[in-house]
Amino acid sequence: MPDRAPNFFRALRSGTARAVARPLHAGRSFLTVQTDLYDDEGRLLGQTTQTQAVLMPRV
């Protein structure tokens, strides 16, 4: 059951955005990752937490 929860805190008016992703949980069945989005000055623009199912190939 994939799930995501995006939160946007401020707009990017100029410059570039930088995304930093880190795993919160890496199991056999599910993977949860948090991604933070920053502007050039290091201010937090947004954050999302996403859970994905891990599908293994059938042999």
Side-chain angles (χ1 to χ4, degrees), residues 10-12 14 16-18 37-45:
R10 64 176 68 227
L12 179 66
S14 65
T16 57
R18 178 176 58 96
L37 189 62
Y38 298 96
D39 67 8
D40 288 333
E41 296 179 19
R43 293 179 297 201
L44 185 62
L45 301 173

Side-chain angles (χ1 to χ4, degrees), residues 25-45:
H25 173 77
R28 287 185 291 180
S29 301
F30 291 95
L31 173 70
T32 303
V33 177
Q34 177 176 314
T35 304
D36 298 325
L37 189 62
Y38 298 96
D39 67 8
D40 288 333
E41 296 179 19
R43 293 179 297 201
L44 185 62
L45 301 173

Side-chain angles (χ1 to χ4, degrees), residues 38-57:
Y38 298 96
D39 67 8
D40 288 333
E41 296 179 19
R43 293 179 297 201
L44 185 62
L45 301 173
Q47 183 179 74
T48 186
T49 303
Q50 191 170 45
T51 301
Q52 297 290 328
V54 176
L55 303 176
M56 301 300 291

